[in-house]
Amino acid sequence: MIKKLRTPSEALAEMPSGATVMIGGFLGVGTPETLIEEMLRKDTKDLTLIGNDTGFPDRGIGRLIVAKRAKKVLASHVGTNPETGRQMHAGETEVVLVPQGTLAEQVRAGGAGLGGVLTPTGVGTIVEEGKQKITVNGREFLLEVALQADYALIKAHKADELGNLVYRRATRNFNPLMAMAAKTVVAEVEEIVPVGELDPDEIITPGLFVTYLVKRGRKDE
Amino acid sequence: MIKKLRTPSEALAEMPSGATVMIGGFLGVGTPETLIEEMLRKDTKDLTLIGNDTGFPDRGIGRLIVAKRAKKVLASHVGTNPETGRQMHAGETEVVLVPQGTLAEQVRAGGAGLGGVLTPTGVGTIVEEGKQKITVNGREFLLEVALQADYALIKAHKADELGNLVYRRATRNFNPLMAMAAKTVVAEVEEIVPVGELDPDEIITPGLFVTYLVKRGRKDE
Amino acid sequence: MSKDIARERIARRIAHELQDGMVVNLGIGLPTWVANFLPSGSEVLLQSENGFVGLGPAPLPGQEDPDVTNAGGQPVTIVPGGACFDSAMSFAIIRGGHVDVTVLGALEVDEEGNLANWMVPGKMVPGMGGAMDLTVGARRVIVAMEHTAKGKPKILKKCTLPLTARQQVDLIVTELAVIEVTPQGLVLKEIAPDTTVAEVVAQTEATLIINSIKIMEV
Amino acid sequence: MSKDIARERIARRIAHELQDGMVVNLGIGLPTWVANFLPSGSEVLLQSENGFVGLGPAPLPGQEDPDVTNAGGQPVTIVPGGACFDSAMSFAIIRGGHVDVTVLGALEVDEEGNLANWMVPGKMVPGMGGAMDLTVGARRVIVAMEHTAKGKPKILKKCTLPLTARQQVDLIVTELAVIEVTPQGLVLKEIAPDTTVAEVVAQTEATLIINSIKIMEV
């Protein structure tokens, strides 16, 4: 069997500065904190981060913002992390605010090989600026293009050794979508079980999307 | 609790002739045969049917084709039911062939409130005829518009009394997508369990999409 | 009137709009209070845009599950019959018209049913989160807000702040009044027992269409 | 050569192209045979576009599960570690480039790597099923087909039938030859031990670029 289990530093060893990185979670719930820990330890910078929000200064994606690792952020909400707003207003970090449902579809489209989707969300607001408007059956939609990334750092509850993933409760959020949309997908999990222990019907993310598995809380020696 | 369980004839009592009806299944696997039985019993006709394929003459959607209930069919494949091909060539039934992945996205888009999606599938083939081509990052895509229906007739393995659904193995296919895209959604299931028996993480189709439940094999008195 | 009394009144009134079987999404802040005023045994199904339906009350202290939070990040519970999903499904439910009612706060609403609640340029730019999708996607949009902010009207002829969505608001509920958005403009439907039509009109910049008026149940 | 021997040879040769860890989709008919020639213990992961990954061999008689079928409707099995999904996810996997190799049959292939395999106007119109998505989406497209049909070439200068996809084929494997599609045209890489370059050229309408040629392992 092709072994996917790695330490955090092995899993992220090849992540370059300037990379585009999707990070799962919703206000830190379902965010791979062990992988963020490792990113903080490394000197990777000038990142483009894509996530639902920028968490809190001490939790979730917010820690990378505070450490000034991002040159650009795409998120639906940054209100719970004042440092994001400060960097945005000071012109230190580019922040692109995207409606949450649009961001979800853009990431999904990136993973699904679609060029983009037509959404009614944002029509008649500043979100439509610079975007193509397309009328279908007399209704206006915005063309929102697909997003892809170099890395997706995701958090799941359980994995089997092939990387098949299941999520728990509200931690699922963007994780299964991001798992589809990046070249290298690193999944941080609570528990790894033998192949065959997960029922094929309960698996949310098939292992074929997952490059590496990292055990949550695992430290490099 | 709002009761969703119905007999087949109660569930389909208000389906008019001329309705657009999505029907789940893949070559009859995961097709709601009890509901098709009921449609055959009723005199509903001039239907627009949307499904992955037209099954076989004696199984799946094919039975409705043989009974000449469709004026139009959207499907990705009709090769296993010669009667569909005969009616198409004789001009008796309009058959629109759609790539399978495109059909899946069109139905999903209909359910998700999207106007459509951009797909690379079909570019440079006759599938592109009459469709808008849109270039994103230098690559050509076809704009495929959302599909919606009056009814979705789907098949699930188990439901709870609220209509939350789980599917088994290869029977899932188009069923969860169609459950999102129709005004009235009737789910035919093998088993109905009390509320709370399904784990929130294992539910594939939340009950909010489901109008009525019908027990598979249930006959009206 | 204290802020809390005003807010309780708004939430209590909006609870009357919600019926068994409806799928409802309550925004962060004041809208969340609405859940406290649903009758016991209510079968309103609450959707939480971070990824589940069947949002239940806050857990008892010590029984919090860190994996079960609402869209504001607070610990909540999932009722029996609840279901979890990813963000694409959550917004398929929202954008696809499968949410019957959304209740949202607002900075400004106007005569056309335009809503502004996500940014004050140069000052506060928290982001729209799920609000734009909710406003466009839900079948019915109810705005829950205090009638004025620091004495200045929030119900305007035309919104001045960047919009959340164009022409999507259906009903405005404040501590003073219940106002319906119609193609003809804003119709004053109910006023609170402790106010007058004249006072409501004075505190509203938008033109109010006034026919028959009921007294709001508070 | 009998049809079955020709087909076995094609399938056997294509099996060499598949390596452990690859996600592979095998079309209906001849391509399905490829699975029979994977070495025992192979960790090629087969995707079945009707909704799962981890396609296993046919079940023993009497052990068929009616809910577990392949894209052709035949009873199959799911190996340990397999996963089920809906059609949107199945084609997200396919269209999104997460399938490493697809093996498909063909009616015609041409010098540009165009493929026609889904209809003969006025005659046979079964529909494209998943073939258009597979051809566009898979990272590598291998055509598995007999070199000619009733003595007429199937590898053409330009396809005459309606295309399945434009410029997507990477490799053509027949009972006579292995041909690579390159930006310069079709390159003859291998010929079968019981044929000659002249015979392959004679049975091929397209121009073949010929440099070094290996003998096909059969």
Side-chain angles (χ1 to χ4, degrees):
Chain A
M1 191 166 46
I2 293 153
K3 301 281 187 201
K4 294 190 173 177
L5 188 62
R6 294 288 186 280
T7 66
S9 70
E10 286 166 359
L12 303 187
E14 291 176 24
M15 183 190 287
S17 285
T20 297
V21 184
M22 293 177 175
I23 304 182
F26 194 112
L27 295 178
V29 177
T31 297
E33 298 285 358
T34 301
L35 297 176
I36 288 182
E37 206 70 64
E38 171 60 19
M39 288 181 76
L40 289 168
R41 211 188 55 76
K42 283 164 62 87
D43 64 354
T44 328
K45 51 186 191 293
D46 296 328
L47 300 169
T48 295
L49 298 180
I50 302 175
N52 177 63
D53 54 74
T54 54
F56 303 93
D58 61 347
R59 191 174 174 207
I61 299 172
R63 295 200 284 167
L64 293 166
I65 305 290
V66 170
K68 305 195 83 176
R69 300 303 181 83
K71 69 164 188 239
K72 184 173 176 180
V73 176
L74 277 82
S76 78
H77 197 270
V78 298
T80 53
N81 188 345
E83 176 62 11
T84 313
R86 193 200 62 72
Q87 289 179 20
M88 172 170 61
H89 285 117
E92 296 168 17
T93 306
E94 184 187 351
V95 176
V96 181
L97 292 164
V98 184
Q100 201 166 123
T102 299
L103 189 63
E105 287 296 328
Q106 288 181 291
V107 173
R108 182 182 178 277
L114 301 170
V117 299
L118 303 188
T119 178
T121 303
V123 170
T125 76
I126 59 175
V127 166
E128 75 177 31
E129 282 170 17
K131 288 172 190 161
Q132 204 172 333
K133 275 204 244 186
I134 293 175
T135 299
V136 176
N137 298 329
R139 190 175 179 201
E140 273 191 335
F141 295 90
L142 300 187
L143 167 55
E144 298 279 8
V145 302
L147 289 173
Q148 294 181 318
D150 300 306
Y151 277 78
L153 308 186
I154 65 167
K155 164 72 175 59
H157 183 56
K158 246 194 265 187
D160 71 15
E161 292 164 306
L162 289 170
N164 288 306
L165 303 179
V166 297
Y167 303 87
R168 189 168 174 276
R169 305 301 188 242
T171 65
R172 198 183 302 184
N173 53 71
F174 278 76
N175 286 301
L177 309 171
M178 292 175 170
M180 301 161 67
K183 286 191 206 81
T184 302
V185 176
V186 186
E188 173 178 327
V189 300
E190 311 275 346
E191 192 187 346
I192 299 174
V193 301
V195 171
E197 197 160 298
L198 300 176
D199 187 278
D201 289 333
E202 74 171 313
I203 292 163
I204 300 294
T205 298
L208 62 91
F209 289 117
V210 177
T211 320
Y212 301 128
L213 292 171
V214 168
K215 203 72 185 295
R216 187 170 184 90
R218 167 72 196 253
K219 301 266 187 261
D220 284 286
E221 283 74 41
Chain B
M1 193 165 47
I2 294 152
K3 301 279 187 205
K4 295 191 173 177
L5 188 63
R6 295 288 185 282
T7 66
S9 71
E10 286 166 358
L12 302 187
E14 292 176 23
M15 184 190 286
S17 286
T20 298
V21 184
M22 293 177 173
I23 304 182
F26 194 112
L27 294 179
V29 178
T31 297
E33 298 284 358
T34 302
L35 297 177
I36 288 182
E37 204 71 63
E38 171 61 20
M39 287 181 76
L40 289 168
R41 211 187 55 78
K42 285 163 63 86
D43 63 354
T44 328
K45 51 185 191 297
D46 296 328
L47 300 170
T48 296
L49 298 180
I50 302 175
N52 176 64
D53 54 73
T54 54
F56 303 93
D58 60 348
R59 191 175 173 207
I61 300 172
R63 296 200 284 168
L64 294 166
I65 306 290
V66 171
K68 306 195 81 174
R69 299 303 180 83
K71 69 162 188 240
K72 183 173 177 180
V73 176
L74 275 84
S76 77
H77 197 269
V78 298
T80 53
N81 188 346
E83 175 62 11
T84 313
R86 193 200 62 73
Q87 290 179 20
M88 173 171 57
H89 285 117
E92 296 168 17
T93 305
E94 183 186 352
V95 176
V96 181
L97 291 164
V98 184
Q100 203 168 120
T102 298
L103 189 63
E105 287 297 327
Q106 289 182 290
V107 173
R108 182 183 177 277
L114 301 170
V117 299
L118 303 188
T119 180
T121 304
V123 170
T125 77
I126 60 174
V127 166
E128 75 176 32
E129 282 170 17
K131 286 173 192 159
Q132 204 171 334
K133 275 204 243 186
I134 292 175
T135 300
V136 176
N137 299 328
R139 190 173 179 202
E140 274 191 335
F141 295 90
L142 301 187
L143 167 56
E144 296 279 8
V145 301
L147 289 172
Q148 294 182 318
D150 300 308
Y151 277 77
L153 309 185
I154 65 168
K155 165 72 176 59
H157 183 56
K158 246 195 264 186
D160 70 14
E161 292 165 306
L162 289 170
N164 288 305
L165 304 179
V166 297
Y167 304 87
R168 190 169 173 277
R169 305 300 188 243
T171 66
R172 199 184 302 185
N173 53 69
F174 278 76
N175 287 300
L177 309 172
M178 292 174 170
M180 300 161 67
K183 286 191 205 83
T184 301
V185 176
V186 185
E188 174 177 327
V189 300
E190 309 276 345
E191 191 187 347
I192 299 174
V193 301
V195 171
E197 197 159 298
L198 300 177
D199 187 279
D201 288 332
E202 74 171 313
I203 292 164
I204 299 295
T205 297
L208 63 91
F209 289 117
V210 178
T211 320
Y212 301 128
L213 292 171
V214 168
K215 203 69 187 298
R216 187 170 183 90
R218 168 72 197 256
K219 299 266 188 265
D220 284 286
E221 281 75 40
Chain C
M1 199 184 317
S2 86
K3 219 173 167 71
D4 273 6
I5 293 177
R7 302 180 120 219
E8 181 177 325
R9 179 185 281 185
I10 295 164
R12 198 183 282 279
R13 176 61 188 81
I14 290 173
H16 291 303
E17 300 290 315
L18 310 183
Q19 281 142 35
D20 282 359
M22 280 185 174
V23 179
V24 175
N25 185 297
L26 302 175
I28 294 169
L30 168 53
T32 304
W33 290 30
V34 174
N36 302 333
F37 301 103
L38 292 171
S40 83
S42 157
E43 290 188 29
V44 167
L45 198 57
L46 297 178
Q47 200 256 13
S48 194
E49 73 257 31
N50 55 322
F52 56 99
V53 65
L55 179 70
L60 296 174
Q63 297 191 5
E64 297 87 355
D65 178 339
D67 293 348
V68 183
T69 51
N70 65 15
Q74 273 93 36
V76 292
T77 52
I78 300 178
V79 300
C84 299
F85 31 73
D86 67 29
S87 297
M89 175 59 114
S90 185
F91 282 86
I93 291 171
I94 289 168
R95 200 192 307 98
H98 309 288
V99 168
D100 296 293
V101 178
T102 188
V103 183
L104 291 164
L107 298 169
E108 298 176 350
V109 196
D110 72 20
E111 291 179 357
E112 285 194 315
N114 297 320
L115 168 69
N117 73 352
W118 75 281
M119 74 175 284
V120 181
K123 270 185 159 167
M124 184 203 68
V125 190
M128 66 295 279
M132 285 192 177
D133 297 285
L134 277 163
T135 314
V136 169
R139 285 168 188 249
R140 189 155 185 248
V141 176
I142 301 179
V143 165
M145 65 174 193
E146 288 166 75
H147 207 92
T148 57
K150 297 177 188 162
K152 288 174 68 179
K154 297 174 72 176
I155 305 171
L156 307 177
K157 286 193 182 305
K158 200 165 169 42
C159 288
T160 62
L161 294 170
L163 297 185
T164 304
R166 202 171 58 189
Q167 300 179 356
Q168 296 292 338
V169 175
D170 297 290
L171 194 73
I172 305 162
V173 178
T174 75
E175 76 282 15
L176 296 184
V178 177
I179 297 167
E180 203 179 302
V181 184
T182 74
Q184 288 71 46
L186 301 183
V187 178
L188 181 61
K189 303 290 283 188
E190 302 177 19
I191 61 168
D194 49 8
T195 189
T196 61
V197 169
E199 192 191 332
V200 172
V201 169
Q203 307 231 24
T204 306
E205 185 199 286
T207 303
L208 294 175
I209 300 169
I210 300 169
N211 297 312
S212 66
I213 295 206
K214 277 176 54 180
I215 300 301
M216 195 172 157
E217 282 182 56
V218 295
Chain D
M1 198 185 319
S2 86
K3 218 174 169 68
D4 274 3
I5 292 176
R7 302 181 121 217
E8 181 178 324
R9 177 185 285 186
I10 296 165
R12 198 183 284 278
R13 175 61 189 80
I14 290 174
H16 291 302
E17 299 290 315
L18 309 183
Q19 282 141 36
D20 282 358
M22 280 185 173
V23 179
V24 175
N25 184 298
L26 302 175
I28 294 168
L30 167 52
T32 304
W33 290 30
V34 174
N36 303 332
F37 301 103
L38 292 172
S40 84
S42 157
E43 290 189 28
V44 167
L45 197 57
L46 297 177
Q47 200 257 13
S48 193
E49 73 257 32
N50 55 323
F52 58 98
V53 65
L55 179 69
L60 296 173
Q63 297 191 5
E64 296 87 355
D65 178 340
D67 293 349
V68 183
T69 51
N70 64 16
Q74 272 93 38
V76 292
T77 52
I78 300 179
V79 300
C84 301
F85 32 74
D86 66 29
S87 297
M89 175 58 115
S90 185
F91 282 85
I93 291 170
I94 289 168
R95 199 192 307 99
H98 310 289
V99 167
D100 296 293
V101 178
T102 187
V103 183
L104 292 163
L107 298 169
E108 297 176 350
V109 195
D110 72 19
E111 291 181 357
E112 286 194 314
N114 296 321
L115 168 70
N117 72 353
W118 75 281
M119 74 176 285
V120 182
K123 269 186 161 167
M124 183 202 69
V125 191
M128 66 293 280
M132 284 194 178
D133 297 285
L134 277 162
T135 315
V136 169
R139 286 169 188 250
R140 191 156 185 248
V141 176
I142 301 180
V143 164
M145 65 173 193
E146 290 166 74
H147 207 93
T148 57
K150 297 178 188 161
K152 288 174 68 179
K154 298 174 73 175
I155 304 171
L156 308 178
K157 288 193 180 304
K158 201 166 165 45
C159 289
T160 63
L161 294 170
L163 297 186
T164 303
R166 201 172 58 188
Q167 299 179 356
Q168 298 291 338
V169 175
D170 297 289
L171 195 74
I172 305 162
V173 178
T174 75
E175 77 282 16
L176 295 184
V178 177
I179 296 166
E180 202 179 299
V181 183
T182 74
Q184 288 70 46
L186 302 182
V187 178
L188 181 62
K189 303 290 283 188
E190 302 176 19
I191 62 169
D194 49 7
T195 189
T196 61
V197 169
E199 192 192 334
V200 171
V201 168
Q203 308 233 22
T204 306
E205 184 200 286
T207 303
L208 294 175
I209 300 169
I210 300 170
N211 297 313
S212 67
I213 295 207
K214 278 176 54 183
I215 300 301
M216 194 169 155
E217 284 182 53
V218 296

